């Protein structure tokens, strides 16, 4: 009986530690197309993720209030603030769009 209680206790701790998730889809503001490989960093932690081929991401994290930093080459960096994560819930962020920052001007370099 004691072993069964230990197993149940371990399982409940494991379930509650990984039951909280921040997820969403990141798209281009102009075209609405999903963006592949956007870097999502959780400010103040070592947690982060990149979007997949469909622009989707999912980050397992402890309950709390967080700020997400979204960065992508040739797009403006975006901060998503006050993302509240509650125990045992999935927090889905809708309508995350990044604004293209325009063409990057590079100077000619002759070797």
């Amino acid at each position: 009986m004691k072993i069964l209680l230990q197993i149940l206790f371990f399982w409940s701790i494991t379930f509650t530690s990984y039951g909280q998730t921040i997820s969403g889809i990141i798209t281009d503001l102009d075209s609405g197309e999903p963006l592949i490989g956007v870097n999502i960093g959780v400010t103040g932690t070592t947690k982060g993720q990149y979007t997949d081929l469909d622009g989707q991401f999912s980050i397992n994290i402890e309950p709390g209030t967080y700020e997400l930093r979204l960065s992508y080459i040739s797009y403006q960096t975006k901060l998503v603030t006050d993302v509240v994560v509650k125990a045992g819930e999935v927090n889905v962020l809708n309508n995350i769009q990044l604004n293209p920052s325009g063409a990057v001007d590079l100077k000619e370099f002759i070797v």
Side-chain angles (χ1 to χ4, degrees):
M1 182 67 170
K2 184 177 179 181
I3 293 174
L4 179 62
L5 289 175
Q6 289 175 340
I7 291 171
L8 289 174
F9 177 72
F10 177 75
W11 180 80
S12 68
I13 288 177
T14 303
F15 178 77
T16 57
S17 329
Y18 295 102
Q20 301 78 233
T21 304
I22 300 171
S23 65
I25 299 175
I26 301 176
T27 59
D28 180 281
L29 179 65
D30 295 336
S31 69
E33 293 292 319
L35 296 175
I36 302 167
V38 175
N39 182 2
I40 303 105
V42 182
T43 305
T45 71
T46 58
K47 302 273 184 176
Q49 185 71 38
Y50 288 97
T51 55
D52 63 12
L53 296 174
D54 299 319
Q56 298 178 356
F57 70 94
S58 181
I59 302 171
N60 292 329
I61 197 160
E62 297 77 27
T65 302
Y66 297 98
E67 176 182 82
L68 302 180
R69 184 175 191 270
L70 313 173
S71 60
Y72 195 53
I73 296 175
S74 78
Y75 283 78
Q76 293 177 354
T77 298
K78 182 173 188 171
L79 294 177
V80 179
T81 59
D82 299 324
V83 178
V84 178
V85 178
K86 296 181 181 177
E89 293 184 9
V90 175
N91 188 352
V92 179
L93 303 175
N94 295 315
N95 298 324
I96 302 175
Q97 298 177 322
L98 293 184
N99 190 14
S101 62
V104 176
D105 292 330
L106 299 175
K107 295 184 179 183
E108 183 178 0
F109 183 75
I110 300 173
V111 178

